[in-house]
């Protein structure tokens, strides 16, 4: 019965006497080791099992003598051909009727398949880990490149903005120079005609003074663009700015042949801004209106009013020009969009004006009707 049981087992079973010789083995043991059943009989277990640094056999013996059962110790079986086969060993004592130790039963399970599975799994894990590492490295290099591209884009955008702003300054200098040229012309004509210069100079000098201020401030602005610092702002009544700009443009002969309606608010409307920059916006809007009306008769209205809640000031510049086609209403705020000939328009007036208003926390918007006219509205916090 005992023999039949061990014969039926798929694991190698070896029964040893207390001297360590094999007294019984099953076919599975014979298969694994390559020894015949006969050859195995009386074979010392030392020939069959490796006992290297772990001293397994001694441990087996000692523990089994102590009555322990040995479970799943890793060891090696040596085949007849000398091959080492990894096994997981379980051992238990065989006791005689009187309770003395008569032998040991060893069950050795061939773990090559499991080992191979483990090795394969380890290789798979290693491959996966290295793939993950590669992926991570690739990802971080892509992220680095993205970051670099982003920085370059930001830089390019900043350069473009600086270019736009510098262009805006040039644009304003050109506008303002026209005022100076007109004033100088007027004086030269008066001198040539032998007119009384006193009255003329009295009216023209303040304009020239403002022109000088503009040129100085815009020179400053260019320097600021090269090395940005805060814009100097101060509280100022928007009514006064509008009045002065209109006077300046009149002086420059920009508003001849036009009806002009200026509707200022009765109360002072203080805004904290850089005066020159607000003048720049107004000059741009009014010159645009004049250009739009062209040679035809027309009217420009400018209003300055507090908004209902009193916290903001709104300025409107309205003309009776030809209006702007609906599909171009967005485009006019893009830098360099112009419908004017190259020598007279750069397309920077509106984008720069909007930039300025937005920098103060307001906005510049347009509404227009073809054939009827156009209105630009901007607001500033009080
Ligand atoms: N009041 C207006 N009526 C009709 N079209 C306008 C008016 N204001 C602006 N536009 C249109 O918007 C375009 C862009 O205006 P913007 O002030 O930005 O540049 P520009 O006047 O063409 O050139 P720049 O101001 O540089 O001399 C104009 O070319 C014009 O087509
Ligand atoms: Mg313009």
């Amino acid at each position: 019965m005992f023999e039949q049981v061990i014969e039926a087992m798929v694991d190698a079973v070896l029964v040893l006497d207390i001297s360590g010789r094999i007294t019984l083995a099953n076919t599975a043991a014979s298969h694994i080791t390559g020894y015949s059943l006969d050859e195995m009989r009386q074979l010392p277990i030392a020939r069959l099992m490796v006992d290297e640094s772990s001293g397994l056999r001694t441990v087996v013996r000692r523990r089994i003598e102590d009555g322990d059962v040995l479970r799943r110790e890793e060891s090696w079986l040596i085949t007849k051909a000398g091959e080492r086969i990894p096994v997981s060993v379980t051992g238990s004592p065989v006791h005689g009727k009187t309770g003395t130790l008569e032998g040991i039963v060893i069950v050795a399970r061939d773990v090559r398949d499991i080992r191979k599975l483990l090795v394969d799994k380890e290789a798979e894990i290693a491959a996966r880990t290295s793939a993950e590492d590669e992926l991570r490295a690739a990802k971080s290099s892509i992220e680095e490149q993205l970051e670099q591209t982003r920085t370059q884009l930001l830089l390019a955008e900043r350069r473009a903005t600086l270019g736009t702003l510098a262009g805006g300054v040039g644009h304003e200098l050109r506008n303002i120079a026209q005022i100076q040229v007109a004033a100088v012309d007027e004086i030269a004509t008066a001198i040539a005609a032998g007119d009384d210069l006193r009255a003329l100079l009295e009216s023209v000098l303040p304009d020239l003074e403002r022109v000088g201020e503009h040129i100085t401030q815009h020179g400053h602005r260019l320097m600021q663009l090269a090395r940005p610092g805060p814009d100097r702002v101060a509280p100022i009544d928007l009514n006064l700015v509008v009045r002065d700009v209109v006077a300046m443009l009149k002086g420059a002969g920009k508003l001849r042949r036009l009806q002009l309606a200026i509707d200022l608010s009765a109360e002072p409307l203080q805004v904290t801004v850089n005066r020159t920059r607000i003048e720049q916006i107004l000059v741009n809007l009014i010159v645009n209106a004049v250009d739009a009306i062209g040679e035809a008769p027309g009217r420009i209205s400018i209003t300055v009013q507090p908004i209902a809640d009193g916290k903001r000031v709104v300025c409107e510049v309205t003309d009776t020009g030809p209006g702007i086609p609906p599909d171009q209403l967005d485009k006019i705020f893009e830098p360099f969009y112009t419908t004017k000939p190259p020598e007279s328009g750069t397309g920077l007036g509106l984008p720069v004006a909007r930039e300025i208003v937005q920098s103060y926390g307001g906005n510049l918007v347009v509404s227009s009707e073809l054939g009827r006219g156009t209105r630009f509205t901007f607001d500033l916090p009080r």
Side-chain angles (χ1 to χ4, degrees):
M1 172 67 181
F2 178 61
E3 274 95 350
Q4 281 166 343
V5 170
I6 66 170
E7 193 50 38
M9 288 179 67
V10 282
D11 296 331
V13 179
L14 304 166
V15 181
L16 314 178
D17 61 19
I18 48 170
S19 71
R21 286 179 183 277
I22 297 171
T23 56
L24 184 66
N26 66 352
T27 309
S30 155
H31 270 147
I32 295 175
T33 59
Y35 289 107
S36 70
L37 288 174
D38 270 352
E39 282 171 329
M40 269 190 288
R41 200 156 297 133
Q42 291 306 305
L43 204 65
I45 186 66
R47 292 273 298 279
L48 264 186
M49 283 185 83
V50 175
D51 190 15
E52 281 168 352
S53 53
S54 68
L56 180 79
R57 274 200 322 273
T58 322
V59 175
V60 172
R61 233 196 118 112
R62 198 170 300 139
R63 284 179 53 188
I64 286 175
E65 274 170 354
D66 288 349
D68 271 355
V69 174
L70 188 79
R71 295 186 194 286
R72 290 180 191 272
E73 296 283 343
E74 297 290 307
S75 185
W76 303 88
L77 273 185
I78 316 282
T79 66
K80 190 176 176 185
E83 197 192 337
R84 288 155 65 109
I85 295 173
V87 285
S88 156
V89 176
T90 310
S92 43
V94 180
H95 295 290
K97 288 197 183 86
T98 56
T100 51
L101 180 71
E102 288 188 345
I104 297 169
V105 181
I106 284 180
V107 180
R109 172 163 297 176
D110 183 348
V111 292
R112 274 177 299 188
D113 285 353
I114 294 176
R115 283 270 171 93
K116 189 174 170 332
L117 213 71
L118 261 173
V119 168
D120 287 354
K121 271 274 173 282
E122 264 164 22
E124 197 186 312
I125 289 170
R128 205 175 291 163
T129 311
S130 100
E132 272 168 13
D133 283 352
E134 263 168 41
L135 212 81
R136 207 168 301 129
K139 196 173 151 227
S140 90
S141 110
I142 287 173
E143 268 164 10
E144 225 165 75
Q145 280 170 18
L146 262 178
E147 183 56 31
Q148 242 173 39
T149 312
R150 214 176 69 90
T151 314
Q152 276 166 5
L153 271 178
L154 280 181
L155 206 73
E157 198 180 279
R158 175 153 171 72
R159 286 210 188 102
T161 310
L162 285 182
T164 308
L165 292 177
V169 174
H171 176 266
E172 174 63 7
L173 286 174
R174 197 193 57 190
N175 271 353
I176 217 78
Q178 282 175 15
I179 294 174
Q180 186 184 341
V181 168
V184 170
D185 256 11
E186 220 173 324
I187 296 168
T189 312
I191 292 174
D195 288 351
D196 173 21
L197 287 178
R198 190 179 186 81
L200 176 63
L201 287 179
E202 264 171 10
S203 85
V204 163
L205 273 181
D207 283 356
L208 284 179
E209 216 175 295
R210 306 258 337 112
V211 167
E213 249 168 58
H214 260 248
I215 290 172
T216 311
Q217 290 242 22
H218 278 83
H220 237 88
R221 192 76 200 112
L222 277 180
M223 277 152 63
Q224 260 184 12
L225 288 180
R227 200 179 300 166
D231 239 343
R232 257 192 312 250
V233 298
I236 188 174
D237 181 0
L238 190 61
N239 292 302
L240 295 187
V241 184
V242 170
R243 204 193 57 201
D244 287 353
V245 166
V246 170
M248 218 157 53
L249 289 170
K250 258 191 197 154
K254 276 274 172 192
L255 302 174
R256 277 180 205 135
R257 295 176 300 98
L258 283 169
Q259 285 180 52
L260 203 60
I262 310 294
D263 183 8
L264 303 178
S265 102
E267 56 165 326
L269 294 174
Q270 288 228 320
V271 285
T272 303
V273 292
N274 177 281
R275 179 178 178 130
T276 310
R277 305 201 79 197
I278 298 304
E279 286 175 340
Q280 183 180 351
I281 297 168
L282 287 165
V283 169
N284 282 326
L285 294 183
I286 298 169
V287 170
N288 276 355
V290 171
D291 288 347
I293 292 169
E295 301 303 313
R299 194 174 125 101
I300 295 175
S301 327
I302 304 172
T303 67
V304 180
Q305 299 299 334
I307 226 171
D309 68 0
K311 295 211 176 92
R312 302 180 88 76
V313 184
V314 175
C315 177
E316 287 180 349
V317 178
T318 311
D319 66 67
T320 56
I324 302 168
D327 63 320
Q328 281 170 34
L329 279 180
D330 278 340
K331 292 208 186 104
I332 59 170
F333 291 103
E334 284 170 13
F336 306 113
Y337 174 84
T338 181
T339 53
K340 297 171 190 174
E343 65 278 7
S344 65
T346 55
L348 283 171
L350 288 175
V352 171
R354 179 176 260 181
E355 226 260 352
I356 295 170
V357 178
Q358 286 176 345
S359 79
Y360 291 126
N363 204 3
L364 169 65
V365 296
V366 63
S367 65
S368 187
E369 210 180 314
L370 273 184
R372 302 209 60 166
T374 304
R375 169 174 298 161
F376 284 91
T377 309
F378 68 90
D379 65 310
L380 293 169
R382 277 178 90 177

